[in-house]
DNA sequence: AAACTGTTTGACAAAATTGTTAATAACTAT
DNA sequence: ATAGTTATTAACAATTTTGTCAAACAGTTT
């Protein structure tokens, strides 16, 4: 008897659902399509998850916890000096995007467009983020005071970082054909892109 | 008899459809919802546009031509010196985003996820874009040779510009609550954002 | 006014999608 | 083996959404 890992239908459905929802969104996803991908009848889907909505909530929970991890990673190490902390945070954040390339689009489309869901999620992290911003801002102000870096507005800088790190994944299908030869090797492109994003932010804050 | 502009139902439906499709996407849009917004029965929608798909194609055609305009504007004036041309192009592109804030998300979601549609669209502009890139690259190489700017990779720079200019609109609902007070006045925020994007790109290319 | 044209509607049909159920199969523990 | 539990299926029901149609309506021309 070989080592056949018999994965439960429940799990198969969950994985198929993740792929379906992440690529097509809630409205575009079809329960039948999910069941087919999982290799079961669609009645099974209802047996384990009751409704399409509830199955979706399971995927949602997964993505939300991944997003939380990503944000934490992006915040970097508070003990590092600001510039190093930023470099580190940007790189970590980018790596999380590489590891979960479908998440940004899904998150932007499905969570943010549902005010009830998003405001709930936001309330939980609001004070945390405010604290992080304030912390970073005072560090930045101090460094600027010492003439080490330019005077910078942290929220604006964060938006820049997010734009640079997230957009390529949201728009990958658009970028790929246009950039053609440049992106021939995805691995290499992503490494270059990460370095470029760090370079951009560094040049924005260092004094010239 | 007052100047009552009696807008045709056909036009009302088109406008309602644009709003519905741009905010909810094709899958999320409902023909009944469009008809209600337009203030007519949904049979009218089929009378004028036959099917939901055909109505969608009409909206699609509009958005594609808007995107073309935006890209043209973003290319700036070939007679200007490179740095000025870039500043000008970035600002124009950003202004187009401000004027059509729902377009980026719609375009990224609806067009790019449909390979048949996108490859068709792309074939038409591919050579044009390649030419533009090559043109810009040789200008950039020349300027770098003269020591005016850093040596830069144009495709990478374009991705940076697109990321910075487009992302804030794709993610506005996400950014807004997080940035709270900073974005209290949308007009002001957008002006600052535009300036910030130009500043970032300029600092990336000028020699230090 | 009658005939003609395009517009509008409500009721209905068709299709697609989600959700349910009763019967059966497979597995587990006594 | 048998009773009991969980898993699975096929057929079916319900719902939602899109699409059709004949009849009524409104404006225009003769």
């Amino acid at each position: 008897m070989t080592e056949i890992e018999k994965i439960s239908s429940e799990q198969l459905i969950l994985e198929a659902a993740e792929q379906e929802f992440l690529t097509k969104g809630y409205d575009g996803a079809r329960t039948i399509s999910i069941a087919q991908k999982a290799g079961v009848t669609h009645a099974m889907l209802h047996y384990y998850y009751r409704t399409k909505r509830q199955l979706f909530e399971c995927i949602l929970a997964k993505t939300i916890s991944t997003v939380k991890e990503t944000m934490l990673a992006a915040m970097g190490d508070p003990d590092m000096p600001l510039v190093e902390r930023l470099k580190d945070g940007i790189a970590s954040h980018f790596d999380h995007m590489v590891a979960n390339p479908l998440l940004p689009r899904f998150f932007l489309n499905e969570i943010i467009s549902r005010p009830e869901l998003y405001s709930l999620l936001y309330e939980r992290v609001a004070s945390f983020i405010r604290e992080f911003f304030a912390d970073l801002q005072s560090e930045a102000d101090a460094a600027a005071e010492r003439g080490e870096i330019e005077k910078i507005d942290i929220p604006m800088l964060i938006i820049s970082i997010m734009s640079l790190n997230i957009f390529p994944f949201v728009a990958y299908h658009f970028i790929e054909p246009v950039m053609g030869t440049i992106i021939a090797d995805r691995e290499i492109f992503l490494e270059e892109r990460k370095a470029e994003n760090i370079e951009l932010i560094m040049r924005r804050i260092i004094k010239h």
Side-chain angles (χ1 to χ4, degrees), chain A residues 156-175:
Chain A
M156 275 292 184
L157 194 75
I158 301 289
I159 293 177
S160 300
I161 293 171
M162 287 177 53
S163 299
L164 292 166
N165 268 2
I166 298 174
F167 183 80
F169 297 91
V170 178
Y172 192 80
H173 292 295
F174 172 73
I175 287 176

Side-chain angles (χ1 to χ4, degrees), chain A residues 16-137:
Chain A
E18 176 167 348
Q19 207 216 314
E20 178 87 356
F21 283 129
L22 259 63
T23 52
K24 302 192 188 166
Y26 182 79
D27 293 325
R30 295 289 165 251
T31 54
I32 289 180
S33 169
I34 292 172
Q36 280 171 349
K37 271 182 215 168
V40 298
T41 61
H42 83 284
M44 291 297 292
L45 186 150
H46 294 287
Y47 175 67
Y48 283 115
Y49 299 96
R50 202 80 195 155
T51 67
K52 176 184 180 183
R53 186 75 215 176
Q54 279 186 48
L55 177 54
F56 180 71
E57 305 286 353
C58 294
I59 304 303
L60 212 51
K62 274 184 71 175
T63 74
I64 287 176
S65 80
T66 305
V67 169
K68 280 181 187 164
E69 279 174 38
T70 302
M71 289 176 78
L72 270 179
M75 287 181 179
D77 180 357
D79 295 330
M80 280 184 177
L82 182 66
V83 171
E84 293 310 309
R85 184 182 180 184
L86 276 174
K87 278 190 197 174
D88 208 60
I90 296 168
S92 299
H93 183 258
F94 192 90
D95 290 341
H96 275 249
M97 295 296 117
V98 175
N100 306 284
L102 294 177
L103 257 179
R105 165 193 242 101
F106 177 79
F107 189 80
L108 289 173
N109 281 328
E110 302 297 327
I111 301 202
I112 293 171
S113 58
R114 304 186 204 263
E116 80 289 358
L117 213 166
Y118 182 54
S119 61
L120 197 82
L121 172 68
Y122 172 62
E123 291 310 321
R124 290 200 199 151
V125 293
S127 66
F128 192 53
I129 287 181
R130 255 191 287 277
E131 197 179 316
F132 168 70
F133 275 30
D135 177 21
L136 228 54
Q137 186 70 64

Side-chain angles (χ1 to χ4, degrees), chain A residues 9 90 173 201-202:
Chain A
S9 293
I90 296 168
H173 292 295
I201 298 301
M202 286 302 114

